[in-house]
Amino acid sequence: MTQATDYINSVAATLKQRDPNQPEFQEAVGNFLKTITPVFEKHPEYIKANVLARLVEPERAIQFQVAWQDDAGNMQVNRGFRVQFNSAIGPYKGGLRFHPSVNLSIVKFLGFEQIFKNSLTGLPIGGGKGGSDFNPKGKSDAEIMRFCQSFMIELQKHIGLDVDVPAGDIGVGGREIGYLYGMYKRLNGSERGILTGKGLSFGGSLARTEATGYGLIYYTNAMLKANGKSLDGKRVLVSGAGNVATYAIQKAEENGAIAISASDSNGYVIDENGINLDVLKDIKEVRRARIKEYVDAVPSATYHEGSVWDADVQYDVALPCATQNEINGDQAAKLIANGAFAIAEGANMPSTPEAIAAYQAADILYGPAKAANAGGVAVSALEMSQNSRRVSDSFATVDGELKDIMETLFANSVAAANEYGEDGNYLAGANIAGFTKVADAMVAQGW
Ligand code: NDP
């Protein structure tokens, strides 16, 4: 064994011992460590500075109580988190997730991924993530507002323009960011750059809503083009029906693809004519209803209970845009058997380790989340920049910058993979390109 593998194994062993009950976090770190050995072989200075052990331990992990009153007058209690993972290259940046499954393991996996994703964008932002096990589904607007206000009363003690700038994620969209910002402003005065994903009338950026989905397609286009292919005329299977899925479907269809599905946690719809965006947006953005209702407006479409990754349907490109571990090894085998020659991840860690191994064994094109879905945080950083400059850039300007960032990020991943003998491995390329920048900054800054 080389010094590099010894070192990586010892960090992995300590982590397993320290956080045995954090499966999602262990999985994210495990996926990363599998690809990083060549970097430590080439850079013994990273071992000397013990960069890896420092990188897998959050700089700060805050857990707090969020008490709020429901419409019936009952006092409810949820758990809030903010994990400030790594600030080597800039202030912590990463979303807030409100979903009943949220716990420290999930927030840590998301924060860990965010370090490399943010580094890959080329913008000066460190990695963080937060959220709560609060379930927004079925809550009234007033309940959502009271929850967000209580959450911010605590969170505001820990964030700052040059310290930590949260954004949205699952269950946190424009409405929630508005309520969170409103409470922040009452407590601290107007500091627009403190949150991103804001409404356009109070400092939000044009194209932020679309950014993750559009960015996913810009990345997919770059990956397909590098392999002599394109989205034009291709059938695309999409999971999710939220922010990322909606704008991925929109941009894929603009590029000539037929996006044949959308899903939620109950089931999925297949529309052979391509998902009708007006219908999708009305259901999910306006009425906050279930995807099942799609077939009421489009009777030729079909609704099925269960996971879209179990669907018996032929397609060319897979875009998982719902949640972590939504594709297991069997479903990855099915995806390949169904004809997919490429997958690009809109959701964070949507593929289990077994699924990733199946893509690699079948040699299909695989665009990993930390690269493919970096468009959201990239435009968030552009929103911070607009807030500092007190300007609002046009949609075309922001969208153009987003496209450039995604194409550059893909090219940098390819170059890093080639440099370390991993040609064509976009996962290794993304991990290496994201990591080396952070590691260099950590070494340069001492400890
Ligand atoms: P939304 O809350 O807007 O939508 C989430 C979608 O995924 C919903 O359709 C939801 O269905 C579905 N979903 C959530 N949990 C599950 C589950 N356990 N099983 C099946 N379906 C589920 O979130 P986003 O679109 O913002 O986020 C989607 C993914 O993209 C997440 O992994 C997120 O971390 C990632 N991401 C988001 C970014 C952003 O800018 N928003 C940036 C980068 C990554 P239901 O309504 O039934 O829960």
Side-chain angles (χ1 to χ4, degrees):
M1 256 199 274
T2 64
Q3 189 197 7
T5 44
D6 268 352
Y7 174 63
I8 291 171
N9 289 344
S10 81
V11 172
T14 306
L15 194 74
K16 283 214 171 70
Q17 192 194 359
R18 256 193 190 154
D19 299 315
N21 302 318
Q22 298 183 354
E24 294 85 1
F25 178 53
Q26 295 282 353
E27 181 183 334
V29 177
N31 288 341
F32 171 76
L33 294 182
K34 276 181 206 155
T35 62
I36 213 74
T37 311
V39 181
F40 283 89
E41 276 163 355
K42 195 166 174 181
H43 292 280
E45 72 273 18
Y46 295 162
I47 301 178
K48 187 157 179 276
N50 205 1
V51 161
L52 203 51
R54 290 159 60 197
L55 199 66
V56 299
E57 186 64 19
E59 290 172 9
R60 199 168 296 104
I62 302 145
Q63 184 188 309
F64 50 96
Q65 182 195 102
V66 189
W68 57 282
Q69 205 171 33
D70 66 21
D71 287 346
N74 301 314
M75 190 56 88
Q76 304 286 343
V77 180
N78 284 95
R79 200 170 258 188
F81 300 93
R82 186 70 184 166
V83 171
Q84 299 178 329
F85 226 113
N86 186 287
S87 60
I89 62 169
Y92 310 105
K93 181 96 196 82
L96 298 170
R97 175 178 293 192
F98 293 169
H99 191 272
S101 63
V102 167
N103 56 33
L104 189 58
S105 172
I106 288 187
V107 179
K108 280 176 69 181
F109 116 65
L110 290 163
F112 182 73
E113 290 286 286
Q114 198 80 42
I115 302 168
F116 311 107
K117 180 186 313 196
N118 293 3
S119 166
L120 277 171
T121 65
L123 300 165
I125 38 179
K129 199 83 188 189
S132 172
D133 60 1
F134 172 73
N135 185 359
K137 253 178 241 161
K139 303 288 189 300
S140 70
D141 254 7
E143 288 175 324
I144 299 276
M145 182 172 75
R146 287 195 293 273
F147 176 81
C148 288
Q149 291 175 334
S150 181
F151 187 87
M152 182 52 86
I153 285 172
E154 179 62 30
L155 184 72
Q156 56 97 24
K157 297 174 190 164
H158 310 287
I159 60 178
L161 289 181
D162 292 310
V163 178
D164 184 356
V165 179
D169 190 76
I170 291 179
V172 180
R175 172 181 60 169
E176 291 74 20
I177 293 289
Y179 293 148
L180 289 163
Y181 180 67
M183 181 48 93
Y184 183 90
K185 188 161 64 73
R186 281 166 68 187
L187 297 168
N188 298 287
S190 178
E191 279 181 19
R192 291 183 162 191
I194 195 67
L195 287 169
T196 57
K198 298 181 294 294
L200 293 176
S201 57
F202 53 97
S205 173
L206 285 161
R208 175 60 188 91
T209 305
E210 294 83 355
T212 310
Y214 277 22
L216 175 65
I217 300 304
Y218 296 145
Y219 179 94
T220 305
N221 283 342
M223 179 171 76
L224 296 189
K225 191 172 166 202
N227 291 277
K229 298 177 190 297
S230 84
L231 273 177
D232 193 28
K234 301 296 186 307
R235 287 161 65 83
V236 178
L237 201 74
V238 181
S239 66
N243 173 264
V244 180
T246 299
Y247 293 96
I249 290 171
Q250 178 165 328
K251 193 47 93 178
E253 292 185 345
E254 278 174 34
N255 279 266
I258 307 149
I260 58 170
S261 66
S263 73
D264 60 24
S265 49
N266 296 110
Y268 60 94
V269 288
I270 299 286
D271 185 343
E272 291 289 341
N273 297 320
I275 291 290
N276 181 318
L277 269 166
D278 293 337
V279 174
L280 179 65
K281 287 183 182 175
D282 178 57
I283 294 171
K284 299 308 284 188
E285 291 182 357
V286 181
R287 294 191 284 120
R288 298 179 190 276
R290 308 306 294 162
I291 198 65
K292 192 180 182 173
E293 296 183 20
Y294 185 89
V295 295
D296 299 338
V298 185
S300 58
T302 52
Y303 175 74
H304 313 260
E305 299 279 327
S307 165
V308 71
W309 305 113
D310 292 325
D312 285 311
V313 58
Q314 292 286 306
Y315 53 95
D316 306 295
V317 176
L319 300 177
C321 297
T323 193
Q324 66 274 358
N325 291 331
E326 56 173 296
I327 306 179
N328 63 28
D330 292 342
Q331 290 165 324
K334 179 154 203 160
L335 175 156
I336 295 157
N338 282 341
F341 64 80
I343 171 165
E345 297 178 330
N348 282 306
M349 203 170 73
S351 309
T352 63
E354 295 75 25
I356 297 171
Y359 311 146
Q360 290 175 334
D363 213 16
I364 66 170
L365 303 177
Y366 170 46
K370 61 171 70 72
N373 75 20
V377 74
V379 171
S380 274
L382 300 179
E383 181 175 332
M384 289 164 72
S385 159
Q386 291 171 64
N387 293 156
S388 299
R389 290 182 283 127
R390 296 176 188 275
V391 297
S392 298
D393 291 334
S394 70
F395 190 98
T397 299
V398 179
D399 189 33
E401 287 185 69
L402 168 65
K403 188 160 176 284
D404 283 350
I405 289 169
M406 297 309 292
E407 289 172 356
T408 306
L409 173 163
F410 176 74
N412 290 344
S413 301
V414 169
N418 291 351
E419 185 184 342
Y420 287 88
E422 295 283 345
D423 304 32
N425 185 341
Y426 304 132
L427 172 63
N431 282 342
I432 294 168
F435 168 72
T436 47
K437 183 173 159 192
V438 174
D440 287 341
M442 288 171 72
V443 172
Q445 291 169 30
W447 47 270

